[in-house]
Amino acid sequence: MQNRTLLTLRILAFSKLVILINLVFPMGGQAIAPNEATIAVSGEETIFLTNPEGKGGGAVNALFNLATDNEDPRPLGLEWSPDGRKLAFHATSQKNTDIYIVDANGKNLRRITDHEGVDSWPDWHPGGRKLAIASNRDGNLEIYVMSDGGNIIANLTNDPAPDKMPSWSPDGRRIAFSSKRGRTLGDIYVMNSDGGNQVNYTNHKGEDIQPEFSFEGDRIAWITRRDGTGNVWVMDAEVGEDGAQNVFEIFSQEEKQDITWNPNDKQVATIMFAGGSAWIVIYDVKNAAGKGNHENRFNLPVIGEAGSINRGPAWFDPDFVVEFAVSPAGKQPLSWGWVKQLGSSSAR
């Protein structure tokens, strides 16, 4: 028994050493993730990095410029890879909309789709090797899964109404998305990762879009325009057997687009348009007992016409990343979000 315990301790120590070495000396010349909490936000042909406190006056680092002599693509739908080393996004040019991936330092930009139509809204699987996207390659906007090299793996939806804006749950078992099925401007649906069991979570005639699973997977934030203005709402990711579900509003002033969770699951950030400018606004997320409080707001640089095309944001925090883990039984990579749920509750 003592020998077995000693062996277990040695294995754990070796595993930690491997993770540490990979952090300090990444293998294969891989890109390095930001070493502090970082929000990515897009402007005209550009992606910027800023910190959540707005230090330095908002956006502080332009990663790259997508503009060419013949095209004017604009990056949208920013998503950090689970390890923070890459950003995925879609960009619309004069011809079509394609998926791109770029390293966190702005280098190694590559377009991974080249399709005459729309490939959009990429969202990383927790394992970091594939993405869910919305594509109209079959003539209608549907949810697909593809590799990080651009190869289609599966077509998950097949409905006459457009399906878009997918979001993986942190355990990789479910995907939330927005759909215009029925007499609605948009509802939030949740399905299994193989496309099965597609359930309408909002069921409202108004527009509900851009769902985002929290990093724990227990809540979903989304943008709703039921009252004519884009507002941030949050709901439970599980629906009770009696259909009961906590749904509550975070904030309801000015027009908001795009949302991202703080990886600690205590805040959400959104882009707000007010006073002719674009702002990043961060809200506390409490519970169904009350609205989230306004926590922080900082102005983004004016890009284009009154900053009207600032979009994003995408939040990464290295304190909430597990570099690599393998399940003892299946020898498969584990979801970093799932590992975090097991081991990091004391860190919050």
Side-chain angles (χ1 to χ4, degrees):
M1 184 67 179
Q2 184 176 2
N3 290 338
R4 181 177 300 176
T5 301
L6 182 59
L7 177 61
T8 301
L9 290 174
R10 287 176 175 173
I11 291 174
L12 288 173
F14 177 76
S15 299
K16 291 180 179 179
L17 178 61
V18 170
I19 292 174
L20 180 60
I21 291 173
N22 193 40
L23 281 168
V24 179
F25 303 104
M27 298 177 63
Q30 295 179 357
I32 305 298
N35 58 10
E36 62 180 0
T38 301
I39 292 179
V41 62
S42 66
E44 191 172 353
E45 303 106 27
T46 310
I47 292 177
F48 292 92
L49 299 184
T50 184
N51 57 71
E53 289 77 31
K55 296 176 183 177
V60 295
N61 182 25
L63 281 181
F64 60 87
N65 196 306
L66 282 175
T68 66
D69 293 337
N70 301 317
E71 296 182 347
D72 183 28
R74 296 177 177 180
L76 298 170
L78 307 183
E79 289 289 341
W80 289 101
S81 61
D83 61 9
R85 295 178 177 179
K86 293 175 285 188
L87 277 163
F89 60 93
H90 71 264
T92 300
S93 65
Q94 296 176 0
K95 297 180 180 179
N96 50 25
T97 300
D98 285 309
I99 306 295
Y100 294 75
I101 295 177
V102 65
D103 291 349
N105 60 3
K107 298 180 180 180
N108 197 23
L109 174 67
R110 58 266 193 206
R111 183 172 65 184
I112 64 170
T113 66
D114 188 7
H115 177 258
E116 292 185 2
V118 174
D119 290 325
S120 61
W121 298 102
D123 191 75
W124 294 92
H125 179 273
R129 297 292 182 88
K130 56 186 178 181
L131 306 100
I133 68 167
S135 175
N136 67 352
R137 59 186 58 220
D138 69 345
N140 187 53
L141 206 59
E142 308 284 1
I143 306 300
Y144 290 79
V145 176
M146 73 175 185
S147 71
D148 59 1
N151 297 317
I152 295 297
I153 298 173
N155 176 199
L156 301 185
T157 65
N158 186 16
D159 192 275
D163 300 327
K164 58 184 181 179
M165 302 177 175
S167 172
W168 286 98
S169 64
D171 60 8
R173 296 178 179 177
R174 295 185 294 173
I175 297 174
F177 62 99
S178 177
S179 179
K180 290 187 177 181
R181 302 176 188 187
R183 301 180 65 180
T184 178
L185 296 175
D187 276 321
I188 305 302
Y189 283 74
V190 177
M191 63 181 170
N192 296 340
S193 59
D194 62 359
N197 192 30
Q198 299 180 17
V199 178
N200 188 338
Y201 266 47
T202 54
N203 196 24
H204 190 277
K205 63 180 181 180
E207 185 180 33
D208 294 321
I209 57 174
Q210 295 182 346
E212 286 289 335
F213 269 100
S214 66
F215 284 78
E216 291 287 357
D218 59 335
R219 291 178 292 183
I220 298 172
W222 83 100
I223 298 291
T224 182
R225 292 195 173 90
R226 300 178 183 189
D227 299 324
T229 301
N231 298 322
V232 182
W233 285 33
V234 173
M235 61 182 166
D236 291 344
E238 299 291 345
V239 179
E241 293 182 359
D242 58 354
Q245 184 186 38
N246 289 323
V247 179
F248 57 100
E249 184 181 74
I250 296 297
F251 209 70
S252 59
Q253 292 182 2
E254 292 91 13
E255 172 69 19
K256 286 168 283 295
Q257 295 187 13
D258 307 334
I259 47 179
T260 182
W261 285 91
N262 183 334
N264 70 9
D265 278 350
K266 296 179 180 179
Q267 297 170 315
V268 294
T270 182
I271 298 291
M272 185 180 76
F273 301 106
S277 297
W279 302 74
I280 285 184
V281 186
I282 299 174
Y283 304 105
D284 290 336
V285 178
K286 294 186 175 180
N287 51 43
K291 298 179 181 179
N293 291 330
H294 177 208
E295 176 69 16
N296 190 17
R297 176 188 301 195
F298 54 92
N299 188 227
L300 291 167
V302 175
I303 306 170
E305 183 179 352
S308 61
I309 59 168
N310 282 122
R311 297 291 299 271
W315 199 323
F316 171 75
D317 192 332
D319 289 342
F320 290 84
V321 171
V322 173
E323 276 291 305
F324 184 78
V326 176
S327 62
K331 304 297 182 184
Q332 297 295 321
L334 298 176
S335 158
W336 71 269
W338 183 74
V339 173
K340 179 172 72 69
Q341 291 179 51
L342 291 180
S344 68
S345 58
S346 61
R348 290 190 298 272

